Amino acid sequence: MTCSACRAALSARLDGEPSHTSAEETGAGRHLAGCADCRDWLAVAQRLRELARSAPGPSPEWTRALLAGVLGPEAPPVDRCG
């Protein structure tokens, strides 16, 4: 299994997608056992997922700052954006 195929299978697993085949799962497991780069990739992906899940939702202030940063001072008021 290539790194690309392994990471695609791992990404699907992290997203909760069902495995296409048990061979894919076995191949990804074997690949991880021998590939430090993919183990590192998985650790970072898992940490990113944890951070995203634990992050607070955007507040009106956060949304206002984001819109101002993207659109500049012409950003519409937050209450008109929803």
Side-chain angles (χ1 to χ4, degrees), residues 4-5 7 12 19 22 24 34 37 39-41 46 57 67 72 81-82:
S4 178
R7 291 175 189 188
S19 173
S22 60
E24 246 181 25
D37 287 343
R39 287 192 304 272
D40 291 344
W41 180 92
Q46 288 172 324
L67 288 173
C81 295

Side-chain angles (χ1 to χ4, degrees), residues 58-79:
S59 66
E61 294 79 19
W62 181 89
T63 303
R64 194 177 299 93
L66 176 65
L67 288 173
V70 172
L71 302 175
E74 304 302 318
V78 172
D79 58 0

